[in-house]
Amino acid sequence: MGYVNYEVNGYVAKVTINRPEALNALNGDVLKDLSDTFDAIDTDAVRCVIVTGAGEKSFVAGADIGAMSTMTKAEGEQFGKYGNDIFRKIETFPVPVIAAVNGFALGGGNELAMSCDIRICSANAMFGQPEVGLGITPGFGGTQRLARIIGVGKAKEMVYGGRNIKADEAYRIGLVNAVYENVEELMAAADKMAMGIASQAPIAVRNCKKAMNEGLQVDMDAAIVIEEKLFGDCFETEDQKAGMGNFLEKDKSKKLKVVPFKNK
Ligand code: CO8
């Protein structure tokens, strides 16, 4: 794809937004390439996805301000929906998605990172929703996901004030799980984390994602029913038999089998 690089290493796929001349800002073409890339991922073969930005300066510096500058109300709403649909696709993607934030994650960039399951970053990363300074609200989920991740009070402070924060503060408030000294260390850590996830039983990992994502949208009574169904769904799989069998036989040499995902 023109604005998105895609590579697969074993069970791990890497999606790199590649528009460094505009700090990987998201215009319609970049968003389309991102969407098409996720649509083309073979989820029978890939067990974890890493999303990052090209270069050492920026993950994604937001939606493209030039492209948005002339939009009408209707076009703005339409563009918001376009981005939201793609980010929701990433959020509900069957396998875990890790955002490796290698620099600016502003506006739509922070929103992209927040649609991923896990965020880690390099020390030069900067996060924020600066939209109010441009006369708009966050429009790709920022008014919704930020509060769910870092809490309502802190999110309102960041969004109302359009205040960007550095990596150490993002770590302190729980927006990222870890900070690495530079982009090279970040990408090595992202690979290691992704391979660790990919080495676990794939149906179980996918069901964990679904259980956590869907359970958090409903009350506890409904949430535990979601868990029960996905827990039950793991039984009779080859992985469940092999995983428990290995434990009971005390055989650590056996690996979990690769089984195609059946719950797409
Ligand atoms: N859109 C378009 N171009 C951009 C963007 C962007 N968001 N960010 C950077 N660029 C371009 C610059 O215009 C510049 O291009 P050129 O070289 O042709 O002049 C190039 O990238 C390099 O940028 P800078 O020279 O500005 O680099 P600096 O290191 O000086 O500054 C910053 C880096 C601080 C990241 C600065 O570029 C900046 O503030 N960028 C804008 C950040 C921002 O406000 N992001 C939020 C955008 S709004 C948004 O994301 C809303 C999402 C929801 C949309 C809903 C639609 C309805």
Side-chain angles (χ1 to χ4, degrees):
M1 308 269 172
Y3 288 114
V4 174
N5 295 342
Y6 182 69
E7 53 190 301
V8 178
N9 179 15
Y11 295 124
V12 176
K14 193 174 289 167
V15 172
T16 306
I17 315 274
N18 185 24
R19 195 189 171 207
E21 67 280 9
L23 301 182
N24 303 321
L26 304 170
N27 61 20
D29 292 337
V30 180
L31 284 168
K32 182 172 187 319
D33 286 354
L34 180 62
S35 179
D36 290 349
T37 300
F38 269 86
D39 286 343
I41 294 176
D42 178 359
T43 53
D44 285 339
V46 166
R47 297 184 181 186
C48 191
V49 179
I50 298 168
V51 175
T52 193
E56 303 227 330
K57 187 172 172 183
S58 183
F59 175 70
V60 167
D64 191 298
I65 298 170
M68 288 187 296
S69 62
T70 56
M71 284 181 185
T72 62
K73 282 180 193 285
E75 287 165 344
E77 189 175 335
Q78 208 176 12
F79 189 55
K81 177 168 169 41
Y82 188 59
N84 270 333
D85 287 351
I86 296 165
F87 288 10
R88 186 76 179 132
K89 183 190 313 196
I90 294 171
E91 186 170 47
T92 59
F93 201 66
V95 302
V97 183
I98 299 168
V101 180
N102 56 314
F104 295 114
L106 301 175
N110 192 39
E111 290 166 318
L112 172 61
M114 291 192 297
S115 71
C116 300
D117 293 277
I118 298 166
R119 286 154 296 285
I120 56 177
C121 72
S122 48
N124 66 330
M126 183 175 279
F127 299 82
Q129 299 293 154
E131 286 90 343
V132 289
L134 297 166
I136 58 171
T137 69
F140 291 162
T143 60
Q144 304 307 312
R145 291 195 180 94
L146 189 59
R148 284 164 166 83
I149 294 170
I150 66 169
V152 177
K154 200 78 203 163
K156 285 184 171 172
E157 182 194 328
M158 276 180 70
V159 171
Y160 297 170
R163 187 171 70 85
N164 297 337
I165 59 171
K166 291 185 178 166
D168 55 347
E169 187 173 355
Y171 176 68
R172 192 167 50 74
I173 64 176
L175 184 56
V176 296
N177 291 11
V179 182
Y180 297 90
E181 204 163 305
N182 53 47
V183 173
E184 198 182 335
E185 283 183 26
L186 166 70
M187 295 318 297
D191 284 338
K192 190 171 171 203
M193 183 185 284
M195 284 190 259
I197 291 170
S199 70
Q200 303 301 318
I203 290 174
V205 170
R206 288 163 204 234
N207 283 10
C208 287
K209 173 167 178 172
K210 209 168 156 59
M212 284 193 257
N213 274 4
E214 293 181 8
L216 286 168
Q217 306 307 317
V218 297
D219 65 36
M220 188 56 85
D221 287 322
I224 55 176
V225 173
I226 291 171
E227 184 187 78
E228 286 156 16
K229 289 198 185 315
L230 289 160
F231 174 68
D233 183 64
C234 295
F235 287 81
E236 299 179 55
T237 62
E238 289 183 51
D239 277 352
Q240 180 258 331
K241 287 182 191 152
M244 293 189 180
N246 292 352
F247 177 81
L248 294 173
E249 288 167 25
K250 301 193 186 310
D251 185 351
K252 294 203 168 79
S253 67
K254 282 191 198 155
K255 291 258 187 306
L256 289 169
K257 289 197 179 125
V258 182
V259 286
F261 182 47
K262 60 177 180 169
N263 294 331
K264 262 191 258 180

